[in-house]
């Protein structure tokens, strides 16, 4: 839900839309790694 603005897709080019999606996936992935490192 925090990346809802990406879903509305205001971008006009496919490459910029892909870039924003990759960035969002990277942020989610890093948050999961960070949370799993806290418990070790």
């Amino acid at each position: 839900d925090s990346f809802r603005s990406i879903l509305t897709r205001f971008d006009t080019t496919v490459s910029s839309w892909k870039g924003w999606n990759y960035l969002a996936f990277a942020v989610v992935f890093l948050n999961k790694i960070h949370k799993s490192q806290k418990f070790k």
Side-chain angles (χ1 to χ4, degrees):
D1 289 336
S2 60
F3 296 105
R4 189 174 297 178
S5 63
I6 294 173
L7 294 175
T8 57
R9 195 167 171 212
F10 291 110
D11 299 325
T12 56
T13 62
V14 174
S15 62
S16 63
W17 181 76
K18 279 184 179 179
W20 283 112
N21 277 305
Y22 289 142
L23 181 64
F25 295 146
V27 168
V28 170
F29 180 69
L30 291 173
N31 280 334
K32 285 188 179 200
I33 290 175
H34 182 67
K35 286 179 184 178
S36 69
Q37 293 294 325
K38 280 185 179 179
F39 296 114
K40 289 186 176 183

